[in-house]
Amino acid sequence: MPDPAGLPLELFDKILDNILTRSPAVYSCRHHNIKQLYAFSLFNRTWHERSTPKLYSRWTYHGRIHSFLRLWKFLCTIVSNTRIARLVRTLDIREWDPDPLYAEKVCCYDGFPAEDVKLVCNALHLADISAMEHTVLQALHQNDRRPLVALLMTCLPQLTKLNVVVQDIDKCFTQVLNLALRNEGSDQSKRRAFQNLREASFRTPGQYEPTYLNRLFAEDLWPIYRLPNIRKLSISDLVSDEGVADHPNDVARTSPITHLKLAHRGRPCFTLATAQTLLTLPRTLVYLSLYFNEKDLIPSTTNPVSNAELWKMLVFYQNSIEFLDIYRDTRGFNPPVHKSTNSHMGLLHGFKHLKTLYIQPEVLLGGFSSGEKASFCLGDTFPQALESLIFYGDEYLANNRELERQLAEVVYDSQFSHLESIILEDFDGIAADLPRLALEQACKVMDVRLGIAKRDMLDKGGFCPLYIDDFYGIW
């Protein structure tokens, strides 16, 4: 048998890639794969050199599984070896906040090597957060991982992807975020955290509606929008707060974000002021996904942002947006009933590049409760570039018997020649009971796929209540 050490490097790279790509969505499998990769790296010097970048390209820390010491050792490795620090491209980190249910035994500060502590303190000074030194030293006594995680973020200069699951954004993390925007464009700012970050995802743990202490405030994550190289941002469990609307108007159209997912699940409602601030930040948008929580809305003087107001914000992106997903969740009511003030969007016909549209029909055509109905039909509003359409099952899908005729007309219309698929969501049997004979016939003739999706199996507005609790599949 030939010596495996003599394999061409191209074949060896494929072997390593195969190890890492097996079952990446399951943490335990990925952890096993990393162990195998580490074993390969010990085979000889050449294999070690080829394996090391892959070993450190992605680092995962789960606060409910991994120890305080694991975080400390990795931090010390990073601050003592800048070559390894530059290899880390993806950081998957979750639930590092203190939780008495998972509290570890208090570590003794004397147990940490003095040289490691000195290295970490020097890293604080280099990151221009020396004011946190006392906080970090105190954290060693209390097993508080928050300041260590914040420092870690400043020590990964080539970090391009960040996946975060946490109950709320702590002060240390916020300080590092705000510092990333200080002296923007200067040589000093280029050495700050997140300067090469391109993708970021934030959500809270669990699949149910967040509590008051388990949600992400828009104001805390404000700096993420302004990072110089950020392109994709996903925030679930977002809470609308007044602070984010107080930022100056001159920040509009300054963010490089092109792909944006916002899932608002908390209270109060997603207001017009917050929407105007967050949705007018990007210079251009290619992908937009919005989830609004309107379940069991408590009486309030503040109404959620209406569809008409939302459309006015989106018109700016009509020459760039290719993917649009909007869902207003009113499942607290039975049957679901939207507020009459929600109104409807204007025409999407001018959105020249919009290929994918996932939406409730009433968002397009109105008819919420006693609300105003649009004077136009689906054929008037659909963009000509449309390729894929999903109608989420809701009040309008159940009550508007004109939808089948309008959809059939769209399928037959030559101006929608790019249309490839239509999916109707079955919300408590609503879609299954719809008359579909004419639509089925039209789709068969025009070779358009027609499907029925089961309830809650779609990522409505980018938020799926049945998601697997892991770090993967954000985009």
Side-chain angles (χ1 to χ4, degrees), residues 10-152:
E10 294 78 6
L11 289 179
F12 179 61
D13 286 340
K14 288 188 177 182
I15 293 173
L16 297 183
D17 290 337
N18 183 59
I19 292 173
L20 287 175
T21 53
R22 285 184 297 174
S23 304
V26 182
Y27 167 75
S28 59
C29 292
R30 177 173 171 78
H31 183 61
H32 177 69
N33 295 345
I34 291 294
K35 283 188 173 182
Q36 284 188 320
L37 184 60
Y38 176 70
F40 271 89
S41 72
L42 301 178
F43 196 79
N44 63 27
R45 184 179 296 276
T46 301
W47 283 31
H48 177 76
E49 291 176 355
R50 306 293 285 197
S51 302
T52 299
K54 297 180 184 296
L55 268 173
Y56 287 97
S57 65
R58 184 173 204 149
W59 191 69
T60 299
Y61 184 78
H62 192 320
R64 301 295 177 254
I65 298 175
H66 299 137
S67 68
F68 178 91
L69 194 58
R70 173 187 170 93
L71 174 61
W72 171 255
K73 286 182 177 180
F74 184 72
L75 177 61
C76 291
T77 299
I78 292 300
V79 298
S80 63
N81 193 324
T82 56
R83 185 182 70 88
I84 290 180
R86 297 181 69 85
L87 294 177
V88 181
R89 298 292 194 273
T90 301
L91 186 62
D92 300 322
I93 188 162
R94 64 175 299 160
E95 298 177 78
W96 66 87
D97 43 310
D99 190 327
L101 295 177
Y102 298 91
E104 302 173 85
K105 293 181 179 179
V106 177
C107 291
C108 176
Y109 172 72
D110 296 333
F112 295 98
E115 59 270 22
D116 287 349
V117 175
K118 185 177 180 180
L119 277 172
V120 168
C121 291
N122 288 338
L124 288 167
H125 289 273
L126 288 174
D128 199 18
I129 50 175
S130 54
M132 285 176 54
E133 181 174 337
H134 175 72
T135 305
V136 169
L137 296 179
Q138 191 176 37
L140 299 182
H141 284 293
Q142 301 173 350
N143 273 3
D144 186 352
R145 295 165 291 193
R146 291 174 295 182
L148 301 187
V149 168
L151 175 58
L152 177 63

Side-chain angles (χ1 to χ4, degrees), residues 346-398:
L347 296 173
L348 296 179
H349 196 74
F351 288 61
K352 300 177 181 179
H353 302 285
L354 183 56
K355 299 177 181 179
T356 304
L357 180 62
Y358 300 164
I359 205 164
Q360 292 150 300
E362 58 267 36
V363 174
L364 296 176
L365 301 176
F368 298 94
S369 302
S370 57
E372 175 190 3
K373 292 184 179 181
S375 59
F376 50 81
C377 62
L378 294 177
D380 298 322
T381 188
F382 280 161
Q384 293 184 10
L386 188 64
E387 296 178 1
S388 177
L389 171 69
I390 289 181
F391 269 166
Y392 297 127
D394 223 328
E395 173 194 16
Y396 203 74
L397 194 60

